[in-house]
Structures are given as structure tokens and as C-alpha cells.
Amino acid sequence: MYRILIVEDEQAMLMGLKDNLEFEGYQVDIADDGEKGFEMISKNEHDLVLLDVMLPNMSGFDICKNARKNGVSTPIILLTAKGEEIDKVLGLELGADDYITKPFSLRELLARVKALLRRTDQVKTPKDDQNIIIGNMEINFSNYEAWIEKQAIKMSHKEFEFLHYLWNQKNKVVSRDDLLDNVWGTDYVPSSRTVDNFILKLRQKIEKDSNNPKIIITVHGVGYKLIN
Ligand code: CA
């Protein structure tokens, strides 16, 4: 069972979120001020944190920044108020994974929680410490490192995440929508062209002949399949 921490000083919001998340089957812990919230996040016991920005004693931004500085990697969704537009960006730079602006719909919040938990789960796959071979490429997903013919190559984080998702679904057909949902989540909506461009770039690295792919193949009308 996933364990979620809510840090929020508005009692009605706090209890409303708690009830709804519990109803969805999550185990929920709560904190109603910044210091207590920081203390609880620092225990690193949660799968996800919903973190309000304006809190007594310590702001959500400070909590986020300090928790990351202390090595806490728990995914964090910031609950921001309208008018915190600039702060939002800052919030993500501080190491938050996502944000949602109040007032938000419960449905949207739940969708983001689910998406973030799903994304985090993929990163946690146990075999990731080992180097694996995909076509021409040797790759270590946990360190974001890749080599072709023993030469280290540069790939963006998104390329790694993208390839990682395909790898986890290997030998299965993955639709473009699956890729968009699972690699980009709900906070950013790229076009399906984006997926095609990623596929193109990966093929140029992985395939012997990217015009005649044997590893990341197109399944017409459905999506893509990584063969391994
Ligand atoms: Ca508040």
C-alpha cells in the first residue's frame, strides 16, 4: 500500500484530501505545520508528499529545498495558490516533481498522484543497477549512463526515461499514448510528434541500420515494440 504524507495547514483542505486519498486506498499521514511536515518528510518513509507552500513555521519551498539537500528523494507535489506563478517554476527548481494550483479538482489531483507514483515505480525497478544491452547500446538506467562500442554517449534524462519505459515493457506493444502518459505524465503534454522524434533519435543510436529497425519496431496503427 502506498503511503502518502499531506502537509497542509488549512484544516478543511487537509481532512478533505485525507478522506479522499484513504477512500482511494492510500495510507495517509498528515502534518499541519511546516516544521512538523519537514520532520516527517525527513524520515523518508513516504511514497509521495503533497506539500502546501504557505505554511506556519516553515514554507513548503524551504521544506522541499532542505529535504532534497538532505538526500530525501520522495516525490513531492506542491500545492500552490493562485498568484504564485513565478514561485511555481522556482518550486520545480527546488526539487519538487510536480505542482497543482488551488483550487484544483480532486480528480485532477488524484490523476497526478497516480501518474507520479507510477513514474517513480518504474525508476525503482530492482535490476537497474546492472548494465544492460539494447542493440548497439550498453546502458545503466540508475546512473543515467550509456555507451556505444565502449564510448560513453550523451543522452538526455527524458531519453533515458523513454528508453527505460520501453525496456520495462519489452516485447510488448506500447501505444504512443502510453508513452506520453508514462514518460511525460500529466504536467506536460507533448505532441505525438515528440514520441516519433524520440524513437527516431534512439534508433539512430541503438539500431545497426536505423532505416531498417530491428530493435525498436513500429507496429502500424498501434505503437512501438522493443524487441529483446
Ligand atoms: Ca497554507
Side-chain angles (χ1 to χ4, degrees):
M1 191 198 276
Y2 289 114
R3 197 167 161 193
I4 296 179
L5 171 65
I6 312 169
V7 187
E8 165 66 78
D9 60 323
E10 253 170 81
Q11 286 300 317
M13 171 76 91
L14 180 62
M15 297 325 281
L17 287 174
K18 181 177 191 283
D19 284 351
N20 279 291
L21 287 167
E22 284 177 346
F23 184 77
E24 293 292 315
Y26 299 109
Q27 189 186 334
V28 179
D29 294 312
I30 54 173
D32 61 4
D33 89 47
E35 270 174 17
K36 193 172 157 207
F38 180 63
E39 206 175 287
M40 290 175 79
I41 287 179
S42 300
K43 289 184 187 157
N44 224 344
E45 291 173 343
H46 296 92
D47 297 297
L48 188 140
V49 181
L50 295 177
L51 179 60
D52 187 29
V53 173
M54 296 296 284
L55 289 164
N57 297 322
M58 191 171 182
S59 78
F61 290 140
D62 285 340
I63 292 175
C64 196
K65 190 170 63 185
N66 288 308
R68 291 291 185 251
K69 214 186 279 172
N70 295 345
V72 174
S73 59
T74 313
I76 296 174
I77 300 178
L78 285 175
L79 309 179
T80 63
K82 264 209 178 114
E84 288 174 335
E85 299 291 324
I86 304 158
D87 289 347
K88 273 180 188 172
V89 181
L90 185 67
L92 295 177
E93 282 171 5
L94 289 173
D97 296 272
D98 199 359
Y99 65 86
I100 186 164
T101 306
K102 295 176 182 176
F104 47 78
S105 77
L106 187 65
R107 221 178 119 212
E108 192 187 352
L109 180 84
L110 291 173
R112 299 230 185 169
V113 165
K114 266 188 208 153
L116 188 51
L117 286 170
R118 203 166 47 195
R119 264 151 62 193
T120 318
D121 270 358
Q122 280 152 20
V123 180
K124 278 196 229 156
T125 309
K127 282 179 276 172
D128 288 350
D129 279 348
Q130 301 163 8
N131 290 3
I132 56 159
I133 308 283
I134 305 176
N136 287 336
M137 193 186 286
E138 183 173 355
I139 186 160
N140 185 306
F141 284 115
S142 56
N143 295 336
Y144 291 87
E145 290 175 316
W147 303 264
I148 292 174
E149 291 166 359
K150 303 284 172 200
Q151 295 285 312
I153 56 157
K154 273 201 179 137
M155 296 212 301
S156 69
H157 264 55
K158 266 292 172 254
E159 283 180 281
F160 274 104
E161 283 170 20
F162 189 96
L163 187 57
H164 196 193
Y165 183 75
L166 283 176
W167 169 254
N168 282 338
Q169 308 291 322
K170 59 180 177 268
N171 303 318
K172 285 186 232 164
V173 181
V174 178
S175 71
R176 278 198 191 128
D177 281 348
D178 283 343
L179 282 160
L180 289 171
D181 280 357
N182 288 288
V183 180
W184 279 272
T186 52
D187 48 341
Y188 171 61
V189 186
S191 68
S192 44
R193 275 295 301 259
T194 311
V195 172
D196 298 345
N197 288 336
F198 268 79
I199 294 281
L200 195 71
K201 276 200 271 179
L202 287 173
R203 276 179 179 156
Q204 285 164 353
K205 290 169 182 161
I206 286 174
E207 304 278 352
K208 281 206 172 74
D209 174 5
S210 62
N211 294 319
N212 185 19
K214 300 272 190 254
I215 294 160
I216 302 176
I217 61 164
T218 303
V219 182
H220 286 288
V222 191
Y224 298 99
K225 186 168 21 174
L226 188 147
I227 307 283
N228 194 273

